[in-house]
Amino acid sequence: IEKIGEPTSQWHHINIEHIKQTTTHTFKNHEEAFAALAEKIITDSKSTKTSITAVGHRVVHGGEQFYYPTLINEAVLKTLEQLSHLAPLHNPINLKGIQFARHYFPKAK
């Protein structure tokens, strides 16, 4: 989802047949976009909040501490928050995405 908060947010999705679909939708804020994303993931995968076992995130800048795949825990989150100044336009939103996934998919790694 891109252009959140603008009148013409874009929703890009590659479906199970590997076909890219793009739709226009207005998302007022990241919370609204994340909620819609969670519903789409659950609906499209025919899963439940507890059957999602893992969620991957791309954080723009992890400093010298995070340059390889890392399981998220409270200490990692705190360090990523402290590194937000390295990518101020991206890392705070990346952290919201991580927090979103932890909220919507509490059993997922």
Side-chain angles (χ1 to χ4, degrees):
I1 300 172
E2 62 184 14
K3 299 182 182 178
I4 295 169
E6 297 180 21
T8 56
S9 304
Q10 295 284 311
W11 180 293
H12 304 287
H13 172 69
I14 298 175
N15 66 20
I16 199 161
E17 290 89 24
H18 303 285
I19 298 169
K20 183 177 180 179
Q21 301 170 324
T22 299
T23 57
T24 301
H25 183 87
T26 301
F27 293 105
K28 296 176 191 164
N29 54 49
H30 286 85
E31 289 75 18
E32 188 178 298
F34 290 150
L37 177 60
E39 288 304 316
K40 183 144 186 76
I41 290 169
I42 290 167
T43 301
D44 285 3
S45 65
K46 298 182 176 123
S47 298
T48 65
K49 286 184 178 186
T50 56
S51 66
I52 302 292
T53 59
V55 178
H57 298 276
R58 180 191 60 82
V59 175
V60 171
H61 207 313
E64 293 180 8
Q65 292 92 330
F66 306 112
Y67 49 88
Y68 52 88
T70 303
L71 285 176
I72 301 294
N73 60 32
E74 293 305 319
V76 170
L77 276 177
K78 184 174 182 174
T79 303
L80 288 173
E81 286 175 26
Q82 294 169 347
L83 296 171
S84 285
H85 69 280
L86 297 174
L89 296 177
H90 299 283
N91 277 15
I93 300 304
N94 295 156
L95 287 168
K96 280 188 175 188
I98 293 168
Q99 292 163 342
F100 144 80
R102 294 177 92 197
H103 171 78
Y104 280 94
F105 308 113
K107 302 239 184 228
K109 290 184 180 184

